Amino acid sequence: MTAGPLHYQTATSVAGRIAAGELDSVAVTQALLARIQRLEPTLHSYITVLGEHALERAAHADAVRDRGGALGVLHGVPVAVKDLCHLRGAPTTGGHSFRRDVISTTDATVVARLQAAGAIILGKLATTEGAMVGYHPDFQVPRNPWGDLDRWPGVSSGGSGVATAAGLCFASLGSDTGGSIRYPSAVNGIVGLKPTWGRVSRHGVLDLAPTLDHVGPMARSVRDAARVLGVIAGHDPNDPTSLANPVPDLESEMERGAQG
């Protein structure tokens, strides 16, 4: 049994426990949705919570496991994505009030890859308007969960940083054009990684600056960040700027350490 509250355990640990039958994805998802309901009125990290969608996906994940189906490396694990990423059937606002009712008809490649790995998408995370410098007044500003809630939450991936730090998801996706993964990860005390440009497809992710945008993982451990990056990375024929280079086994590379 892994010590500590369930909501602060790592995505890697939770995936292993779900695969082993120690946890059910439905119960884990319900626990995080209850925590979101309790803390979101203060933290404002989500623009959209997709409770019904998440529970349906979690029930399917448990059924696949119980019948001995193939399990992905994030099977049954609740995560969330910055609200620049299209998710079929959900609004994608990009932080714009005029996009509140714009429902996506397709999935971003990164969303499709997360779901193919078994991840459960809890919802869409707050972003500054157009992923630029400020929040539209119709949206609440995320609050850094540490201290007296008066600390900077970071820039446009602030919702991802806050939700991940506060245990409102086990990992998240952010985007970085000029620091928007790195700053909120640093100030919220989590691990964020801005991948090499082209390593992760931007197909289905709203642009700020197409030649500078990077989509990447935000998590509470280096291993979790490596696992999420391994899931979302790789060539995508829908994104002509994505790299054709094969994706290494990032978790196994970690075992070598940084010595030398």
Side-chain angles (χ1 to χ4, degrees):
M1 182 68 68
T2 304
L6 174 63
H7 54 264
Y8 280 144
Q9 292 179 22
T10 66
T12 306
S13 170
V14 170
R17 295 181 66 194
I18 289 172
E22 295 177 19
L23 291 171
D24 287 336
S25 181
V26 167
V28 174
T29 302
Q30 287 172 332
L32 263 64
L33 288 171
R35 185 168 173 80
I36 290 167
Q37 185 175 30
R38 186 167 73 253
L39 296 182
E40 264 302 289
T42 300
L43 296 181
H44 312 305
S45 60
Y46 280 84
I47 287 181
T48 305
V49 178
L50 301 169
E52 184 176 344
H53 167 87
L55 288 170
E56 288 176 358
R57 299 285 299 200
H60 176 71
D62 287 338
V64 169
R65 179 203 59 195
D66 292 345
R67 66 172 181 259
L71 306 185
V73 295
L74 292 172
H75 191 87
V77 178
V79 303
V81 299
K82 185 174 181 176
D83 200 24
L84 300 177
C85 304
H86 286 292
L87 169 63
R88 184 183 290 107
T92 302
T93 72
H96 298 291
S97 64
F98 67 83
R99 290 186 58 93
R100 279 184 183 274
D101 299 320
V102 177
I103 305 301
S104 300
T105 58
T106 59
D107 291 328
T109 297
V110 288
V111 167
R113 288 177 175 176
L114 284 173
Q115 293 189 136
I120 309 301
I121 309 294
L122 288 171
K124 311 294 283 299
L125 296 164
T127 177
T128 53
E129 187 170 16
M132 296 182 73
V133 293
Y135 286 85
H136 190 280
D138 285 356
F139 295 101
Q140 298 276 11
V141 178
R143 306 295 295 273
N144 188 311
W146 306 118
D148 297 323
L149 303 178
D150 59 350
R151 291 169 169 79
W152 188 44
V155 276
S156 75
S157 299
S160 300
V162 170
T164 305
L168 305 184
C169 57
F170 289 102
S172 62
L173 295 187
S175 67
D176 194 315
T177 305
S180 294
I181 287 174
R182 293 162 290 165
Y183 289 136
S185 295
V187 299
N188 288 287
I190 63 171
V191 177
L193 191 147
K194 174 190 174 186
T196 298
W197 193 78
R199 174 54 89 185
V200 177
S201 171
R202 293 177 295 103
H203 175 71
V205 179
L206 297 180
D207 288 328
L208 172 54
T211 59
L212 296 173
D213 293 347
H214 304 65
V215 181
M218 300 172 71
R220 291 192 298 272
S221 78
V222 173
R223 184 172 296 279
D224 283 358
R227 180 166 294 197
V228 173
L229 179 58
V231 166
I232 63 174
H235 179 65
D236 176 13
N238 290 315
D239 179 358
T241 68
S242 65
L243 299 175
N245 308 51
V247 180
D249 184 342
L250 300 170
E251 285 191 73
S252 69
E253 289 291 313
M254 287 177 57
E255 303 300 337
R256 298 169 58 186
Q259 185 174 1

